[in-house]
Amino acid sequence: MKVTIVSRSGREVVKGGIVINDSALVSDLQKEIHARVKKYYPSRQRLTLPLATGSRERPSVLNPKKCIKEYAEGNAEDLTVVFKDLGPQVSYSTLFFWEYLGPLIIYPIFYYFPVYKFFGYEDERSIRPVQTYAVYYWCFHYFKRIMETFFVHRFSHATSPLSNVFRNCCYYWSFGSYIAYYVNHPLYTPVCDLQVKIGFGFGLLCQVSNLYCHILLRRLRSPDSSGGYQIPSGFLFNIVTCANYTTEIYQWLGFNIATQTVAGYSFLVVAALIMTNWALAKHRRLKKLFDGKEGRPKYPRRWVILPPFI
């Protein structure tokens, strides 16, 4: 069959279209497009079916694992698909590695090196025990995140836009510098020892729980990231839809209980808002997918992210 590839404006992306076998998959079509236009490698492509003029519906994205023929009406021997260039892509493991590497390196610089001389503090800095615990806690968290990226997480999408690397690095690296500056500051005043122990003890418990949540999520997805959505269960997932976000928020709450800085709480609030939006979207998606109709299981009643509030 012949497949005509057009842009959203109607311009033909591949001149003359592509003739492909009826049994070919969408992924085979993507490879053919890449062969004809080298810069459009498969992960950079999004192929959809054309919409009627004036339609407000969302276009149907072609599944790379499905046969091209399934998208043709009846026994039609030609098909038109709309091509969108997603721009330069990077793997999710690359994206996460760079966004987590920054805080892992930046924070210890403020602890171990005399950087405060550049801010006008010439006297020797007296390091408090809580500052030592904080740097260990911080480094453990981001080292854990990097290890999870390569050995635990299975991503639903192979790649992410390259621009997300710069955006995410800006977010994590700037907040890392902001918090490190104030927690390790020569004029930093620590809280009482009991509060430090409670904060870091609670935070470490949440860090370990967060790791276990990620392991449970890994088991829901096959090595090739196929299989679609499943209802997460076990451990805190029996109570909360996004237990991984819940433990992430609470581990930073523990850190801030122990360190007590405006910078740290600012990061906690921003991160909690971002993860709450993600959790609400995932909760709605799971409830829609598992509606109890036509033999589908019904999604159980659960908190979204932060019992007993959300």
Side-chain angles (χ1 to χ4, degrees), residues 35 87 102 109 114 124-125 155 190-191 212 234 237 240 262 286 301:
I109 290 175
E124 285 293 323
R125 181 168 61 100
F155 304 104
V191 296
Y212 186 55
F237 286 109
V240 187
V262 172
L286 288 172
R301 184 177 177 84

Side-chain angles (χ1 to χ4, degrees), residues 119-136:
F119 298 98
Y121 297 94
E122 297 294 337
D123 297 335
E124 285 293 323
R125 181 168 61 100
S126 176
I127 297 178
R128 310 299 181 90
V130 64
Q131 294 171 316
T132 301
Y133 301 149
V135 72
Y136 292 156

Side-chain angles (χ1 to χ4, degrees), residues 35-292:
R36 298 279 291 273
V37 186
K38 291 298 182 183
K39 73 173 183 177
Y40 295 145
Y41 44 87
S43 61
R44 186 169 174 164
Q45 304 171 27
R46 190 182 75 166
L47 303 178
T48 61
L49 295 177
L51 294 174
T53 304
S55 174
R56 294 186 178 181
E57 295 181 8
R58 297 187 66 178
S60 300
V61 179
L62 275 59
N63 187 333
K65 297 176 182 178
K66 284 191 174 183
C67 181
I68 287 285
K69 193 70 174 177
E70 292 183 38
Y71 293 101
E73 294 185 4
N75 295 315
E77 289 301 320
D78 57 79
L79 175 69
T80 298
V81 298
V82 180
F83 171 91
K84 180 180 179 182
D85 177 16
L86 298 177
Q89 303 284 301
V90 295
S91 68
Y92 268 96
S93 57
T94 299
L95 169 66
F96 286 170
F97 172 75
W98 285 108
E99 68 184 40
Y100 297 145
L101 182 65
L104 182 61
I105 293 175
I106 292 171
Y107 192 102
I109 290 175
F110 284 86
Y111 177 82
Y112 287 107
F113 297 97
V115 295
Y116 290 95
K117 290 183 178 181
F118 299 104
F119 298 98
Y121 297 94
E122 297 294 337
D123 297 335
E124 285 293 323
R125 181 168 61 100
S126 176
I127 297 178
R128 310 299 181 90
V130 64
Q131 294 171 316
T132 301
Y133 301 149
V135 72
Y136 292 156
Y137 183 100
W138 181 279
C139 291
F140 173 73
H141 170 76
Y142 282 104
F143 178 76
K144 176 181 79 74
R145 295 306 297 268
I146 290 176
M147 292 298 102
E148 288 173 338
T149 295
F150 291 109
F151 302 110
V152 178
H153 293 321
R154 287 174 176 164
F155 304 104
S156 56
H157 300 287
T159 61
S160 171
L162 177 62
S163 58
N164 286 350
V165 175
F166 303 103
R167 182 197 65 187
N168 290 15
C169 285
C170 180
Y171 170 75
Y172 280 100
W173 295 25
S174 58
F175 261 121
S177 303
Y178 183 37
I179 296 169
Y181 176 83
Y182 283 102
V183 174
N184 297 291
H185 199 280
L187 302 181
Y188 173 77
T189 302
V191 296
C192 68
D193 288 346
L194 178 60
Q195 185 171 333
V196 171
K197 291 176 182 177
I198 291 174
F200 283 133
F202 175 69
L204 283 172
L205 177 63
C206 291
Q207 288 220 50
V208 174
S209 298
N210 181 256
L211 171 60
Y212 186 55
C213 287
H214 288 154
I215 292 172
L216 291 177
L217 289 175
R218 172 188 171 86
R219 294 173 183 170
L220 294 179
R221 185 168 288 141
S222 60
D224 63 354
S225 297
S226 63
Y229 288 101
Q230 299 182 49
I231 298 177
S233 61
F235 192 44
L236 297 176
F237 286 109
N238 293 332
I239 305 170
V240 187
T241 293
C242 293
N244 51 322
Y245 296 153
T246 303
T247 51
E248 179 79 11
I249 291 171
Y250 281 141
Q251 70 185 15
W252 285 118
L253 177 62
F255 177 86
N256 284 298
I257 288 172
T259 56
Q260 290 285 85
T261 65
V262 172
Y265 278 111
S266 298
F267 176 63
L268 173 63
V269 170
V270 173
L273 289 173
I274 292 171
M275 285 186 277
T276 298
N277 284 332
W278 291 345
L280 288 169
K282 184 172 183 179
H283 189 76
R284 287 192 296 266
R285 185 163 56 245
L286 288 172
K287 287 186 69 176
K288 183 178 179 180
L289 287 171
F290 301 103
D291 54 9

